[in-house]
Amino acid sequence: MLTKRVIACLDVRGGRVVKGVQFVDIVDAGDPAELAQRHAAGGADEIVLLDITATHEGRGTLLETVRRASAKLFVPFTVGGGIRTAEDAAAVFEAGADKVSINSAALARPELIGEIGSSFGAQAVIVAIDARRSRGGADPVGEAEVYVSGGRTPTGRRVLDWAREAEQRGAGELLLTSMDADGTKTGFDCELTSRVSAAVDIPVIASGGAGSSTHFAEVFGRGRADAALAASIFHFGVTDSRALKAELAEAGVAVRLPC
Amino acid sequence: MIAVIDYKAGNLTSVVKALRFLGETDILVTQDPEAVLLADKVILPGVGHFRSTQLLHDLQLTEATRHAIARGTPFLGICVGLQWLYQGSTEAETTDGLCHFGSRCEHFPASVEGVPLKSPHVGWNSLERIRPESRLLRGIPDGAFVYYTHAWRAGVSDDTAAVTHYGGPFTAAVERGNVMGVQFHPEKSAAVGLQVLQNFLSL
């Protein structure tokens, strides 16, 4: 049986893993390579590394980080942040990534999705969508808007439309982050996730708001997510993936156990 | 020497990394038919589009593989590498496979009994009905989880060594004599995957 995936996310800045709450109060959480290993050993089904600063000068640092993190990592490994061209993607794959996550650059030039896919396969392209519910209107979820540049810039595009377009252009998966829920530890945005999941035929990874195993169970259930991603609940030893998955199995969710 | 065939289909790094991790030092990533003929074992990785396997014909690697297989060289195809062992795939109708196993690989159905089926099939799924005499899957228990990412798959036949269920059963692993293939990614399947690669290296 296909299981629901629990994905550990490492937000990296200047070569170190950091964690903030809605982009403030950023604290150091450790070395990316070491944490990637620890998460894999702890039962995470996948590792995602996001370079949240992604400055041009930082590219060398990122590639070196990817190289070190992937050296002994035998679970799927996704890298995102600052990937603007098929060449950028190729360098990240070369350094050891299995998939890339693209966001702002895909919105700026949607052809990029197909360009990376044609060389590395659709399965290697994750389109990340940062979403914020609309502040008014009859359907705040259906009208949810896509943001770029680390959540700073609204695009005027509807999340559901962009999700469909990304799929048509050859995305292999979608990584949907709820900006409303991100960092709050009050649960994923299940309503938004379920609307996006129903709108496309590719897997949807839910992100933003994880605080407990109940939140995961909810997003896998009524949220219709295929995978769910979290960062801080793992970093600071609140739980590890194995313990989380044991609780999910208990709640009737199909997960990879033993792991 | 282990020949890992490079036909520009995605990324070979992780397969080579896993082989090194398992202690294998004599690995040659190659496009040379001679290397395939001389190799002790041959691995054909692959992820991406079936049409990229056309390069195997163009570079005479198909013929080299046939000779190596006939001589008894153990051969392992991974993902698209497994699919290539069949007659072909509906993903690229004009590109033939090796035709070692019968039938063509097909896309997952869009729905099963009216319920939509997402594609690609991405994630950890379980190996079932593992053939007890399989050398490739020796020591792997039924129900063990492996990582998949693919939209085409081979149907179940007498050569199927294990199945996985997604919109019905498909061939998770195929094995006849020295010719083997896995639809999943052993290099990304944690301890279970490393065991499969170790089994192959130990042949």
Side-chain angles (χ1 to χ4, degrees):
Chain A
M1 176 189 268
L2 182 62
T3 56
K4 299 291 189 180
R5 287 173 280 155
V6 171
I7 302 179
C9 180
L10 309 174
D11 289 326
V12 171
R13 190 159 86 162
R16 297 288 292 178
V17 176
V18 294
K19 186 58 198 168
V21 177
Q22 287 164 334
F23 293 101
V24 294
D25 299 334
I26 287 175
V27 292
D28 187 285
D31 173 60
E34 195 185 301
L35 278 166
Q37 294 295 331
R38 201 194 300 167
H39 285 313
D45 294 320
E46 275 185 66
I47 309 292
V48 171
L49 187 152
L50 294 178
D51 183 13
I52 60 171
T53 44
T55 57
H56 187 67
E57 304 80 73
R59 301 310 295 173
T61 313
L62 175 67
L63 293 177
E64 186 48 35
T65 300
V66 172
R67 216 164 272 130
R68 286 198 306 121
S70 67
K72 289 178 184 169
L73 197 57
F74 301 111
V75 297
F77 183 42
T78 300
V79 174
I83 295 166
R84 293 185 182 86
T85 63
E87 292 73 45
D88 290 345
V92 169
F93 287 126
E94 179 57 34
D98 302 299
K99 316 181 199 182
V100 294
S101 167
I102 53 174
N103 189 335
S104 307
L107 275 148
R109 210 172 59 79
E111 297 77 21
L112 179 62
I113 300 169
E115 288 167 9
I116 300 174
S118 70
S119 305
F120 294 93
Q123 84 296 325
V125 188
I126 296 180
V127 171
I129 303 177
D130 291 341
R132 175 170 277 168
R133 287 184 178 213
S134 124
R135 288 287 173 258
D139 183 10
V141 172
E143 299 291 329
E145 189 180 352
V146 181
Y147 280 65
V148 290
S149 304
R152 287 184 289 272
T153 315
T155 62
R157 292 214 60 178
R158 280 175 42 159
V159 171
L160 293 175
D161 294 341
W162 174 232
R164 286 192 200 94
E165 179 178 345
E167 175 184 30
Q168 279 158 14
R169 289 186 177 273
E173 295 178 72
L174 299 178
L175 168 55
L176 177 69
T177 300
S178 161
M179 294 170 56
D180 304 299
D182 194 39
T184 63
K185 297 201 175 88
T186 55
F188 296 93
D189 188 336
C190 291
E191 216 179 331
L192 177 68
T193 308
S194 125
R195 288 284 284 275
V196 173
S197 188
V200 297
D201 290 322
I202 52 177
V204 174
I205 305 162
S207 159
S212 71
S213 66
T214 310
H215 297 153
F216 281 86
E218 282 169 0
V219 82
F220 290 142
R222 69 188 173 88
R224 301 171 69 173
D226 300 283
L229 172 148
S232 51
I233 64 162
F234 301 131
H235 292 167
F236 298 115
V238 179
T239 185
D240 66 9
S241 297
R242 190 169 288 116
L244 170 63
K245 290 203 279 186
E247 290 179 40
L248 289 172
E250 196 74 359
V253 179
V255 287
R256 175 176 69 109
L257 273 180
C259 58
Chain B
M1 177 263 289
I2 314 278
V4 177
I5 301 179
D6 179 9
Y7 58 111
K8 304 298 168 204
N11 183 3
L12 306 177
T13 325
S14 44
V15 173
V16 172
K17 231 183 279 181
L19 298 175
R20 292 229 167 87
F21 181 80
L22 292 169
E24 184 60 51
T25 51
D26 196 3
I27 303 163
L28 183 67
V29 175
T30 183
Q31 293 195 330
D32 180 4
E34 283 297 313
V36 170
L37 289 169
L38 290 171
D40 301 306
K41 295 187 176 72
V42 178
I43 297 180
L44 182 70
V47 60
H49 204 284
F50 193 82
R51 70 170 170 256
S52 52
T53 63
Q54 182 61 42
L55 193 65
L56 298 169
H57 303 314
D58 298 346
L59 296 175
Q60 276 76 55
L61 285 160
T62 309
E63 271 316 293
T65 298
R66 283 212 177 92
H67 284 297
I69 284 173
R71 243 189 238 170
T73 308
F75 185 97
L76 176 64
I78 298 173
C79 193
V80 175
L82 167 143
Q83 296 173 9
W84 183 70
L85 295 171
Y86 288 78
Q87 288 172 357
S89 167
T90 56
E91 188 176 20
E93 297 278 9
T94 56
T95 302
D96 289 333
L98 185 71
C99 302
H100 190 82
F101 299 114
S103 83
R104 297 178 86 75
C105 298
E106 292 182 352
H107 197 278
F108 284 110
S111 64
V112 176
E113 289 164 6
V115 181
L117 186 70
K118 289 197 177 191
S119 194
H121 169 227
V122 180
W124 296 81
N125 202 331
S126 51
L127 296 172
E128 312 287 350
R129 286 159 47 193
I130 296 176
R131 237 167 48 202
E133 73 278 16
S134 167
R135 293 190 291 163
L136 187 62
L137 302 178
R138 182 177 296 151
I140 309 287
D142 258 16
F145 288 104
V146 289
Y147 183 78
Y148 286 95
T149 175
H150 65 123
W152 277 260
R153 81 283 190 251
V156 177
S157 72
D158 288 349
D159 298 308
T160 299
V163 304
T164 287
H165 291 267
Y166 189 68
F170 67 87
T171 291
V174 64
E175 178 173 341
R176 189 203 297 158
N178 55 321
V179 182
M180 308 169 181
V182 287
Q183 181 59 63
F184 57 89
H185 286 275
E187 74 282 11
K188 289 288 145 190
S189 297
V192 173
L194 292 174
Q195 179 66 53
V196 172
L197 290 174
Q198 183 61 62
N199 287 347
F200 181 72
L201 291 176
S202 306
L203 289 173

